[in-house]
Every structure is written in C-alpha cells, then in structure tokens.
C-alpha cells in the first residue's frame, strides 16, 4: 500500500509539490501558534507559591499637622506602640485569622526593591532577588510554605530571628543550576547594598511575582524587621476566615474611626486582593486575550484552508473513486487510499518543517519560556500537537467528500468521463 501511494504521489508530482509547499508553510505557522499557547499556558499553570484568597490590604496613614486631631511631638516609640495596638485590635476581630506588615512587600505589587546576596563563591549578580521587609506573620497571611514542607506557622517562627532571612528555594537555580537552597541553611550571606551579613534560617517554595511571571524569574528574600521598628513599614495585610468574607471591608471601615484611630494613625481604605490582582494584571490579561484571539483566528483559517484544499482535491477524484469501487474495492480500501495519500504527504514534509521550527527556536524568535528559549520537551511536544491538528484537518477534509463520493453510483460518477 505504501509503495502504491508513493508511486501515485510521484506520478502526480506537479500537483503534490504545490500541496507540499502549502503543508510546509502551514505546518511551521501552526507550530509557532502551538508554541506560543504552550508557553503561556505552561507559565500560567505553574504553582504560584502563595494564596491571596480571603486576603485584604489595609492602607493606613498618619494625620498631618493641618488636621485638628493631630497629636504633635509623637515620639518614634509612641508611634511604634500605636501600630502594635492597631495590629492587636485587628487580630482580635472574630473574622480575622492573622495580620502582618511589610514594606512594599505584598503580592501583585509593582513597587519593589531588590537585594544582592553573596555566599562563598555564589551570588545573585545576574538577577537580584526581590526584597520583602516583613513582620513574622507574613507567610501565614499568604499561605507560603517551606521548601522542605514547613508550614506557614513554622516559617513565621523562623522570621522572629532579627538577624535571619528566608530565601526562595530557587535563588541559585537559574544561574548555577542549584536546585535547592537546603545546603545553605545556617550559612552567612553578605549583602552588597546593606553592608552587613545575614544568616539563612530556611528556604521556602518559590513565590511567583504574579500569574504571568515564571517561578524561574521570581527570586525573593524575606527579611524580618524588629518589633521596635514597625514604623518602617508602610502596608498592612490580613487574612480573613473563609466563611467570614462577607461585608468585611464595609464592617471594618464602619469601626475604623472608633477602634482604629490610634495616635495619629488611621485606616484610609481596605482593598481585596482579588481586586489588586485584577488591577495589577490588567495589561497582561488584555495582551493575553488579544494573542489568544489572534491565534484562534489564525488556527481557524488554517483549519478552513486545509479542509477546503483536501475537500476540493478529493471531489476532483470522484471518477477515480468510482472506478476503484467498480473494480471491487471496499469502502475501507478506498478510505485508506485517499486519506493515506494526504497523511503521507504531511508526514514527508514534517521533518523539513521541524528544521524551520528549530531555526525559529535557535534564533529566539518564539515566545519566552522559563530560563531558556529551546527546551526539547516543549519543542517536540509542539511539533506533535501541530502535526496532530493538521492530520485531523486532512482526515476531515478527505473523509467528508470521500464519503459523499462513495454514495454515488459508479455509472453516474463516470458519465462525465
């Protein structure tokens, strides 16, 4: 059968050359679309390393001197005590599970600072780690777990060491290929921008910057701030019990003036992390939607183009099908013959298409993926997916007209001849 198909393809080489060129171009374009979607979906599907459900950002501030309620000459210690009082009152609310503070540290936040770290001969020179100045309960609020299975509560205990730091487990992975930071626990890290040394107390699962940034590009450090320096912080985050989310913002703001006007501090507003996440990623979501729409439109055109090409090609062979049928060929014989020809053509051009696909990947013309443009699993998976899609289109493009041709009496089909 295969030799007969090859002989038939060779006899009709002029028509098949143009069809092969079309299949080659479509195959490369289809691979590019598949690669893009594969990359985006793979990144979005990665574990985020945190949980912002039932979490809220409390924006607090201080009265200025123009306010009639302003208390002058407030010392740093008094201001620090005021913040501790606010934290205590929040924690005592029945709907609140835990509270933490930070300095430009909350998730889905575009305003951050970085930190250079060095230990022995290893450093973060090629990619500074995102620095999160936090209070100990920060991992509890966002459900951040240790790399070795430590609970958020255990990480919170580790953060109570004012000279210690927690580091994401992938800090040296991209630069040095070190899969885990466990061997660095207990070692001292020097900091170029802070001029001191800090001891690594533990590592935690990589915390992604957002839903569109891969974990491989999300290096971070949690550095605790002493309890007597909470005036350094500028944000407060809370986690609410799962069954007590309803009207949390409204209820808290109703009590803000009575219970949370402490010293010069007051609660200015409360935001849900669902809203913060949506606002932070608005441009990414819009871009992704645009690309997916364009990819779907292009895929639809490829589908219709292949379907139409093979539909027309098969319709032209109705007399040939009638002759085979008149000579005793069964329906399955004819189906295998006409469908096998199209699939064999696709199979013959796929290796050449793979060469073009490799060149696109080699010259980094395709979508960005964790820390390398060319990754064998991704490359061959996308070839297999695009080949399967095109094989299906060829199958449908031949099956439908071939089935119609089968239902035509041989004598009627040959009248035109």
């Amino acid at each position: 059968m295969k030799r007969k198909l090859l002989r038939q393809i060779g006899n009709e080489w002029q028509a098949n050359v143009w069809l092969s060129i079309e299949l080659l171009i479509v195959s490369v374009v289809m691979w590019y679309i598949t690669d893009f979607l594969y990359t985006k979906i793979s990144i979005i599907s990665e574990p985020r390393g945190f949980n912002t459900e039932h979490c809220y950002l409390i924006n607090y501030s201080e009265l200025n001197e123009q306010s009639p309620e302003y208390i002058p000459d407030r010392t740093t210690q008094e201001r620090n005590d005021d913040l501790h009082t606010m934290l205590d009152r929040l924690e005592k609310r029945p709907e609140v599970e835990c509270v933490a503070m930070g300095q430009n540290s909350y998730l889905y936040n575009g305003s951050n600072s970085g930190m250079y770290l060095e230990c022995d001969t290893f450093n973060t020179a090629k990619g500074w780690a995102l620095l999160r100045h936090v209070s100990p309960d920060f991992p509890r609020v966002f459900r951040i777990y240790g790399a070795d299975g430590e609970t958020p509560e255990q990480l919170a205990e580790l953060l109570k060491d004012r000279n210690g730091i927690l580091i994401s487990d992938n800090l040296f992975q991209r630069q040095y290929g070190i899969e885990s930071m466990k061997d660095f626990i207990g070692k001292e890290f020097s900091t170029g921008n802070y001029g001191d040394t800090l001891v690594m107390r533990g590592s935690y699962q990589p915390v992604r910057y957002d839903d569109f940034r891969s974990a491989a590009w999300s290096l971070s450090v949690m550095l605790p701030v002493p309890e007597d320096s909470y005036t350094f912080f500028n944000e407060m985050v809370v986690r609410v019990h799962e069954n007590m989310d309803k009207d949390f913002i409204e209820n808290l703001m109703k009590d803000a003036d009575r219970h949370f006007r402490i010293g010069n501090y007051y609660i200015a507003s409360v935001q849900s992390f669902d809203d913060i996440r949506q606002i932070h990623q608005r441009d990414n979501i819009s871009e992704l939607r645009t690309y997916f729409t364009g990819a779907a439109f292009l895929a639809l055109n490829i589908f219709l183009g292949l379907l139409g090409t093979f539909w027309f090609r098969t319709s032209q062979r109705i007399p040939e099908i009638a002759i085979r049928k008149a000579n005793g060929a069964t329906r399955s014989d004819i189906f295998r013959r006409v469908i096998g020809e199209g699939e064999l053509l696709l199979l013959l051009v796929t290796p050449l298409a793979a060469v073009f696909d490799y060149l696109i990947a080699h010259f980094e013309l395709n979508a960005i993926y964790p820390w390398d443009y060319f990754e064998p699993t991704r490359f061959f998976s996308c070839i297999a997916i695009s080949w399967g899609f095109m094989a299906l289109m060829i199958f449908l493009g031949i099956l439908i007209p071939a089935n119609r041709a089968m239902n035509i009496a041989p004598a009627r089909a040959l009248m035109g001849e």
Side-chain angles (χ1 to χ4, degrees), residues 119-124 147 167-185 187 189 200 203 206 215-216 219 371:
C119 181
D120 297 332
T121 58
F122 304 101
N123 59 63
T124 57
I167 298 176
S168 61
D169 206 40
N170 63 339
L171 185 72
F172 292 145
Q173 183 179 12
R174 179 163 50 88
Q175 189 170 346
Y176 298 106
I178 298 174
E179 297 293 332
S180 174
M181 295 294 293
K182 295 176 185 177
D183 293 337
F184 291 86
I185 294 176
K187 292 187 177 182
F189 282 74
M200 179 180 170
S203 61
L219 315 178
W371 61 78

Side-chain angles (χ1 to χ4, degrees), residues 125-373:
K126 291 187 178 180
W128 282 27
L130 189 150
L131 173 61
R132 289 190 168 98
H133 280 108
V134 298
S135 65
D137 282 333
F138 189 86
R140 291 182 59 206
V141 172
F142 293 110
R143 299 276 173 85
I144 298 171
Y145 286 83
D148 207 22
E150 298 91 342
T151 64
E153 288 74 18
Q154 290 173 317
L155 292 183
E157 288 298 319
L158 293 174
L159 278 173
K160 290 181 179 178
D161 179 1
R162 61 184 302 165
N163 193 42
I165 54 172
L166 297 182
I167 298 176
S168 61
D169 206 40
N170 63 339
L171 185 72
F172 292 145
Q173 183 179 12
R174 179 163 50 88
Q175 189 170 346
Y176 298 106
I178 298 174
E179 297 293 332
S180 174
M181 295 294 293
K182 295 176 185 177
D183 293 337
F184 291 86
I185 294 176
K187 292 187 177 182
E188 291 186 346
F189 282 74
S190 61
T191 60
N193 50 342
Y194 286 89
D196 54 8
T197 58
L198 299 167
V199 178
M200 179 180 170
R201 297 302 182 194
S203 61
Y204 54 89
Q205 296 175 7
V207 173
R208 292 171 56 189
Y209 191 76
D210 54 36
D211 298 351
F212 294 88
R213 188 78 60 91
S214 171
W217 294 93
S218 301
L219 315 178
S220 60
V221 176
M222 280 191 275
L223 177 64
V225 169
E227 289 190 358
D228 57 359
S229 302
Y230 276 17
T231 53
F232 173 76
F233 289 134
N234 64 357
E235 63 200 26
M236 195 175 292
V237 290
V238 301
R239 170 171 288 276
V240 175
H241 293 291
E242 293 185 12
N243 59 341
M244 304 186 77
D245 255 322
K246 183 175 171 58
D247 300 327
F248 171 74
I249 295 177
E250 292 80 1
N251 294 335
L252 180 59
M253 291 307 295
K254 284 179 183 178
D255 296 336
D257 287 336
R258 285 186 302 161
H259 299 296
F260 298 99
R261 267 282 290 107
I262 306 166
N264 288 323
Y265 285 105
Y266 67 95
I267 293 178
S269 63
V270 183
Q271 291 176 278
S272 167
F273 267 90
D274 292 337
D275 297 333
I276 293 172
R277 177 189 180 193
Q278 182 71 23
I279 294 170
H280 175 78
Q281 300 184 148
R282 184 178 295 159
D283 291 340
N284 297 99
I285 293 171
S286 177
E287 180 188 36
L288 186 65
R289 188 181 294 117
T290 301
Y291 274 112
F292 265 93
T293 302
F297 178 76
L298 193 54
L300 179 62
N301 277 272
I302 291 173
F303 167 77
L304 295 176
L306 286 176
L307 193 66
T309 297
F310 282 96
W311 192 304
F312 176 79
R313 181 183 175 90
T314 306
S315 297
Q316 295 293 101
R317 292 189 165 181
I318 290 179
E320 177 188 331
I321 293 173
I323 292 173
R324 294 184 183 282
K325 190 175 178 182
N327 287 330
T330 63
R331 291 175 65 91
S332 59
D333 291 336
I334 296 174
F335 276 131
R336 282 198 300 270
R337 185 63 177 262
V338 294
I339 292 174
E341 183 182 357
E343 300 293 1
L344 184 58
L345 278 173
L346 175 63
L347 195 62
L348 291 173
V349 302
T350 295
L352 183 58
V355 173
F356 285 100
D357 298 340
Y358 175 79
L359 292 175
I360 292 174
H362 177 73
F363 290 107
E364 302 178 351
L365 301 176
N366 51 335
I368 298 174
Y369 190 63
W371 61 78
D372 199 350
Y373 283 83

